[in-house]
Amino acid sequence: MKLEKYKKKALITGVSGQDGSYLAELLLNKGYEVHGIVRRSSSFNTQRLNHIFENENFNLHFGDMTDPIGLDNVMQKVIPDEIYHLAAQSHVHISFQIPKYTADVDAVGTLSLLESIRKFAPKAKLYNACTSELFGKVRETPQSETTPFYPRSPYGIAKLYSYWIAKNYRESYGMFISNGILFNHESERRGSNFVTRKITLGLSKLSKSYQLVSEQKQVIDPISLGNIYAKRDWGYAPDYVEGMWRMLQHDKADDFVLSTNETHTIKEFIDEAIKHTPFNGKVKWTGSRLSEKLMYNNIVLININPEFYRPAEVELLIGQNLKAKDELGWSPLTSFKELVSKMMINDLK
């Protein structure tokens, strides 16, 4: 009897999110048997995965990072070779409003997952999703794997625990665990409450009303934003999930920064996005800081709302990806302009 070639089994927590959906695609294309964990809810929030549901190598399991018994059940059932831990309450602003839930999911949830792996799949390789928000009030620029951490939000602090508990399990139990310190990465699948997608969706909706707005036959609600001078290192999510996979193919577990090594303000993101709309060349910024507005004739397209400022701001994040480039052969393929263009073209459709 001819034996089928063994397929690697991968388990993805947070598979229905932006990164999870791209990672599932990547692994399926590489011949993996992919298992994903999704939270049970009254509405099935898996629209990012609809196009791969029919793939015979794709399997979904209900689970929650706050339910260790459920995680144990999935782990025992799957016994994966590789685990990609992406599940999190990942919105920084919201983490100030629900700090305990953020800690339960992002910090204690990681601990529960590590214990489940240690008990039922100790030979599995784990990728643990960390964040540039660990650097927060930055101690040096650019930020690399050796930069001291100073998180400035409940989200960043919960992820700091996740980073260190993962490192502790690696050193204590000899488990293959790599922490990925990923800087901001966006895409057409970014959630609509994140600032980049809020901008591209908002400008696309305004573009559809361009003629009526021009003739002042329609009143519009402007896009309200917070600190548009915050600087971020923005990459493209599909490039970054390739980096996640490469970390688990590396000969040893380690911690890696993935970044573009460039920084741009939110205002620069807006200016780049406007180029894809009928408003291009016809708008101007007026006022300063809290009174700043993006105007089209006498119509406000974008204004500043202090409610969207964080209680503790993170003004600048810019990574240094030299280690990932040298050891993993990873570099981002998509430029800042290409990223904005992809998001705008998608949302204008």
Side-chain angles (χ1 to χ4, degrees), residues 58-316:
F58 183 63
N59 310 271
L60 283 180
H61 307 265
F62 289 120
D64 194 297
M65 297 312 300
T66 63
D67 176 19
I69 296 173
L71 292 176
D72 285 354
N73 291 337
V74 174
M75 197 66 62
Q76 289 180 82
K77 183 177 181 179
V78 177
I79 311 292
D81 301 293
E82 297 175 4
I83 301 159
Y84 296 86
H85 177 36
L86 311 181
Q89 190 304 99
S90 59
H91 197 286
V92 176
H93 186 77
I94 291 173
S95 77
F96 284 98
Q97 301 168 28
I98 49 172
K100 182 182 182 298
Y101 177 76
T102 301
D104 288 344
V105 174
D106 298 6
V108 181
T110 301
L111 174 61
S112 297
L113 181 67
L114 288 166
E115 271 296 286
S116 188
I117 297 167
R118 185 178 70 84
K119 291 183 292 186
F120 303 112
K123 294 182 180 179
K125 295 181 176 182
L126 171 66
Y127 167 81
N128 183 41
C130 296
T131 169
S132 58
E133 290 288 334
L134 294 176
F135 300 117
K137 190 175 182 180
V138 297
R139 306 289 88 187
E140 66 180 17
T141 300
Q143 296 90 54
S144 71
E145 294 83 0
T146 59
T147 301
F149 299 133
Y150 195 139
R152 297 263 284 171
S153 66
Y155 167 69
I157 293 164
K159 280 294 189 178
L160 183 62
Y161 177 88
S162 178
Y163 170 91
W164 279 114
I165 197 65
K167 197 159 186 168
N168 180 258
Y169 270 59
R170 181 171 74 205
E171 296 173 355
S172 299
Y173 302 112
M175 297 165 67
F176 192 111
I177 301 170
S178 289
N179 286 311
I181 307 172
L182 274 58
F183 281 68
N184 293 62
H185 46 287
E186 317 296 317
S187 76
E188 303 92 322
R189 299 181 191 174
R190 193 53 144 155
S192 59
N193 59 343
F194 288 84
V195 66
T196 51
R197 195 78 194 286
K198 186 177 181 180
I199 291 165
T200 59
L201 280 171
L203 289 177
S204 297
K205 289 175 182 176
L206 290 174
S207 296
K208 286 187 176 181
S209 306
Y210 174 72
Q211 194 61 42
L212 292 174
V213 169
S214 298
E215 297 169 0
Q216 296 189 351
K217 292 180 179 178
Q218 180 173 320
V219 178
I220 63 165
D221 293 322
I223 305 166
S224 292
L225 302 173
N227 180 12
I228 61 173
Y229 290 96
K231 295 180 178 180
R232 292 294 182 268
D233 185 324
W234 274 307
Y236 188 46
D239 296 346
Y240 283 56
V241 299
E242 169 76 21
M244 298 174 190
W245 176 77
R246 290 193 182 207
M247 287 183 209
L248 296 197
Q249 314 318 306
H250 196 41
D251 56 1
K252 65 183 180 70
D254 207 344
D255 307 322
F256 294 93
V257 162
L258 299 188
S259 65
T260 68
N261 304 349
E262 293 181 8
T263 192
H264 298 273
T265 64
I266 294 170
K267 187 174 182 179
E268 287 177 81
F269 190 100
I270 296 166
D271 290 340
E272 192 62 38
I274 280 285
K275 294 177 183 178
H276 297 270
T277 72
F279 301 104
N280 185 33
K282 304 171 186 176
V283 295
K284 64 177 180 178
W285 289 97
T286 63
S288 62
R289 293 294 173 173
L290 292 179
S291 65
E292 198 156 7
K293 295 177 177 64
L294 182 65
M295 304 291 297
Y296 168 66
N297 294 332
N298 295 318
I299 302 164
V300 179
L301 299 182
I302 294 177
N303 62 14
I304 306 302
N305 186 338
E307 289 185 10
F308 294 117
Y309 272 72
R310 301 180 186 181
E313 279 289 332
V314 173
E315 297 291 348
L316 166 67

Side-chain angles (χ1 to χ4, degrees), residues 43-69:
S43 58
F44 209 47
N45 183 28
T46 56
Q47 63 268 23
R48 296 183 179 99
L49 303 170
N50 288 343
H51 61 296
I52 57 175
F53 272 144
E54 300 304 316
N55 192 309
E56 63 180 4
N57 291 320
F58 183 63
N59 310 271
L60 283 180
H61 307 265
F62 289 120
D64 194 297
M65 297 312 300
T66 63
D67 176 19
I69 296 173

